[in-house]
Amino acid sequence: MKYNFWFVVGSQFLYGPEVLVTVEERAKEMADKLSELLPYPLLYKVTAKTNQEITDIVKEANYDDTCAGIITWCHTFSPSKMWINGLNNLQKPYCHFATQYNKEIPNDEIDMDFMNLNQAAHGDREHGFIAARLRMPRKIIAGYWQNQNVIERMGDWMKSAVGVAVSKNLKVMRFGDNMREVAVTEGDKVEVQTKLGWQVNTWAVGDLVKEMNAVTEQEIDDMMEIYSSKYDISTDNINAIRYQAREEIAMKKMLDRENCKAFSNTFQDLYGMEQLPGLASQHLMSQGYGYGGEGDWKVAAMTAIMKAMGENGNGASAFMEDYTYHLAEGQEYSLGAHMLEVCPSLADPDKKPKIETHHLGIGMNEKDPARLVFEGKAGDAIVVSLVDMGGRLRLICQDVVCVKPIMPMPNLPVARVMWKAMPNLTEGIECWITAGGAHHTVLSYDVSAEQMKDWAKMMDIEFVHINKDTTVQELEKELLVNDLVWKLK
Ligand code: MN
């Protein structure tokens, strides 16, 4: 889907036609220039002067699947009672852009005509009041429209809004159920569909095996060419790689047939399969599909959404699991990995991941599964976990700093990422556990905490951010207040 955003400019008839013509020209100019710099086009739609015009444009926006959100601005004053009916019906993400056409006050030429045209400073306050009064979730971005930082923030918000659109249409394919007895991977699928739009349903592993058996040798040959162009084949066990190709082709056919962008499976249910999909899941993830291990459909869905929110609609975001800690003083790190399934979008782009085969003792693997092995790159990142608190969903986001793994770990046969959690490893762990965050997360290098906060706000779910300033004591208070607030909602 090619998404766009609509620029809706508020005004009124009071100023006479000349001013309105100028407002329209400038709004078009701004939308055109911004479209060149933003990740998605900003289409100028209307200079709205009446209740009817606003109601009509909102109805149109709601109905148009390509419209991922509206951005409003008041060059002149736009009395807000005429916005009430429209805003009450708005079903798309909403950003209030508090900006100004001119950057500076023109010392010599400023007169009352200038003042009548350039009224954003009070026009945007009138506009802001009504959204506050209506308790609308919205993003407010203030600043000169050509300022680099302002454009970046708007771009980030657009990506969050696209995350909303992706979420509302997301279908998740579950191969089997979740791992027996595990709590955090459970959740209310009806609540999730109501709140986030996800359609989460199960397909039998037998259906997948049937699809795998129908894959041709030619299809596998073609996939092997793709693998060898992208990765270093570091094993003689070519049959194991060919088996992963067969699994990938079959899973992709089923996903695409049902229009699913995320999937989960579990090592406890591989009935009729020789290997847990490793390379197969990893290569699917690199193409933008979300994945969750052990039947974790929530993390699978979040991975797909956060990938879509990233650079070029498929960013460096991946299913991750906190595995083990390095607790040496002054060198405290988390080591993240999974049994097999870490997305190569986390790898250093200059180093080709290796395809290796190793024995995997856990699960029902008859043969050694092939998997990609690589190191995650260094850089600022976040880890995100969505948990079902019973009656509501909580999105937990923690700032982390990824480092090049501090040791080579030559006998570890999986991809690995190493990071420092905020505010520091042990307090970070205490905060995470206090909030109920899962061992499965989405780790992202190019979606920010602010974007996840915006997404959570638009989705109307609880958001908890663990950052350099968080303390357990303050977090406990915040969670207590959240419990009360969300009971009232
Ligand atoms: Mn796991």
Side-chain angles (χ1 to χ4, degrees):
M1 178 81 73
K2 286 215 183 310
Y3 293 108
N4 56 56
F5 289 79
W6 290 11
F7 195 33
V8 177
V9 177
S11 194
Q12 59 179 330
F13 288 115
L14 188 72
Y15 306 103
E18 236 173 88
V19 164
L20 291 174
V21 168
T22 308
V23 168
E24 177 151 49
E25 279 170 4
R26 289 179 173 182
K28 271 187 198 153
E29 179 197 337
M30 289 164 74
D32 289 348
K33 270 197 189 165
L34 286 168
S35 290
E36 289 170 21
L37 303 167
L38 290 165
Y40 295 92
L42 179 62
L43 311 178
Y44 166 73
K45 282 289 170 180
V46 66
T47 298
K49 302 160 294 292
T50 63
N51 191 310
Q52 192 60 49
E53 279 178 313
I54 296 161
T55 306
D56 287 349
I57 199 72
V58 165
K59 277 190 204 163
E60 251 184 81
N62 286 344
Y63 206 73
D64 188 332
D65 285 341
T66 66
C67 172
I70 68 162
I71 296 176
T72 60
W73 171 53
C74 296
H75 192 335
T76 49
F77 196 83
S78 179
S80 272
K81 278 161 73 175
M82 68 189 191
W83 285 78
I84 295 171
N85 300 52
L87 289 179
N88 259 339
N89 288 318
L90 181 65
Q91 294 165 349
K92 293 289 168 92
Y94 166 34
C95 172
H96 178 182
F97 192 19
T99 190
Q100 199 165 267
Y101 179 75
N102 56 305
K103 188 171 191 178
E104 295 172 12
I105 295 172
N107 182 38
D108 289 332
E109 65 185 74
I110 187 165
D111 57 11
M112 276 323 286
D113 282 345
F114 180 92
M115 295 285 263
N116 279 336
L117 177 61
N118 297 280
Q119 300 192 335
H122 67 282
D124 275 325
R125 286 166 202 245
E126 166 72 2
H127 187 66
F129 162 72
I130 203 64
R133 165 75 192 258
L134 296 173
R135 273 75 170 170
M136 291 189 67
R138 65 197 154 138
K139 180 73 173 177
I140 302 162
I141 297 175
Y144 181 55
W145 62 284
Q146 296 193 58
N147 178 295
Q148 187 58 33
N149 179 257
V150 166
I151 294 166
E152 270 171 31
R153 289 185 66 213
M154 183 165 287
D156 285 352
W157 176 79
M158 281 181 161
K159 290 176 183 174
S160 295
V162 164
V164 171
V166 169
S167 180
K168 288 188 174 169
N169 290 301
L170 187 69
K171 292 175 84 176
V172 184
M173 182 171 280
R174 305 172 70 215
F175 293 111
D177 208 314
N178 62 332
M179 183 180 164
R180 283 187 282 275
E181 305 289 356
V182 177
V184 80
T185 53
E186 295 283 2
D188 181 340
K189 299 189 203 75
V190 174
E191 175 68 13
V192 165
Q193 186 164 350
T194 307
K195 213 74 193 177
L196 308 177
W198 306 351
Q199 301 166 61
V200 183
N201 289 296
T202 304
W203 274 258
V205 176
D207 289 334
L208 175 57
V209 171
K210 204 165 134 194
E211 195 72 49
M212 281 166 57
N213 291 337
V215 172
T216 66
E217 291 303 310
Q218 182 60 50
E219 286 174 301
I220 294 174
D221 289 345
D222 294 345
M223 187 57 80
M224 289 297 284
E225 277 198 28
I226 295 171
Y227 288 163
S228 54
S229 71
K230 287 187 164 178
Y231 312 123
D232 274 338
I233 296 181
S234 306
T235 174
D236 295 331
N237 191 351
I238 301 300
N239 279 339
I241 306 175
R242 291 184 71 84
Y243 194 80
Q244 292 283 333
R246 182 182 291 281
E247 290 179 327
E248 175 177 345
I249 294 161
M251 285 194 288
K252 188 169 188 308
K253 279 183 189 169
M254 288 181 70
L255 289 164
D256 292 350
R257 196 181 297 141
E258 298 292 339
N259 201 17
C260 293
K261 285 298 277 179
F263 67 105
S264 64
N265 58 14
T266 168
F267 63 87
Q268 282 176 333
D269 189 357
L270 299 177
Y271 193 79
M273 295 166 79
E274 291 176 4
Q275 303 175 20
L276 176 66
L279 171 61
S281 296
Q282 290 173 295
H283 192 241
L284 278 172
M285 279 188 268
S286 76
Q287 297 163 67
Y289 294 92
Y291 171 78
E294 291 90 63
D296 192 341
W297 48 271
K298 295 200 298 300
V299 82
M302 286 309 301
T303 306
I305 291 165
M306 289 173 67
K307 275 180 170 293
M309 283 167 65
E311 280 306 309
N312 304 316
N314 182 17
S317 299
F319 167 59
M320 185 50 62
E321 179 167 86
D322 288 79
Y323 242 94
T324 197
Y325 302 127
H326 190 65
L327 293 170
E329 271 163 47
Q331 267 198 320
E332 289 99 344
Y333 294 104
S334 264
L335 177 63
H338 205 254
M339 257 183 251
L340 303 173
E341 314 89 340
V342 181
C343 176
S345 66
L346 304 188
D348 183 338
D350 297 330
K351 281 189 195 158
K352 270 190 181 180
K354 289 179 182 168
I355 298 178
E356 299 182 11
T357 50
H358 300 275
H359 175 67
L360 179 63
I362 202 161
M364 303 160 58
N365 296 277
E366 292 166 23
K367 299 209 172 137
D368 299 353
R371 80 288 307 270
L372 292 170
V373 180
F374 58 88
E375 281 186 347
K377 60 191 174 187
D380 289 347
I382 53 170
V383 287
V384 168
S385 169
L386 180 75
V387 292
D388 187 331
M389 295 299 290
R392 76 173 187 280
L393 298 161
R394 170 181 287 168
L395 191 73
I396 305 156
C397 175
Q398 185 168 35
D399 295 346
V400 302
V401 179
C402 295
V403 298
K404 181 181 163 46
I406 60 165
M407 51 188 93
M409 298 172 278
N411 291 313
L412 184 69
V414 290
R416 71 292 303 270
V417 184
M418 200 172 247
W419 65 81
K420 261 180 214 277
M422 295 291 134
N424 57 63
L425 180 65
T426 48
E427 223 176 332
I429 296 166
E430 289 173 13
C431 288
W432 189 266
I433 290 174
T434 299
H439 56 285
H440 285 167
T441 58
V442 185
L443 183 142
S444 180
Y445 290 90
D446 68 353
V447 178
S448 68
E450 184 177 349
Q451 285 177 292
M452 292 317 297
K453 182 186 174 186
D454 289 343
W455 183 83
K457 203 196 266 187
M458 291 186 265
M459 292 291 144
D460 191 28
I461 61 170
E462 183 188 358
F463 180 77
V464 175
H465 185 199
I466 301 166
N467 55 50
K468 66 178 174 42
D469 301 319
T470 309
T471 63
V472 173
Q473 214 177 358
E474 286 304 311
L475 181 65
E476 279 175 343
K477 275 188 221 161
E478 181 186 332
L479 296 176
L480 187 66
V481 171
N482 286 0
D483 255 335
L484 291 171
V485 169
W486 284 90
K487 264 182 197 134
L488 295 172
K489 270 202 171 200

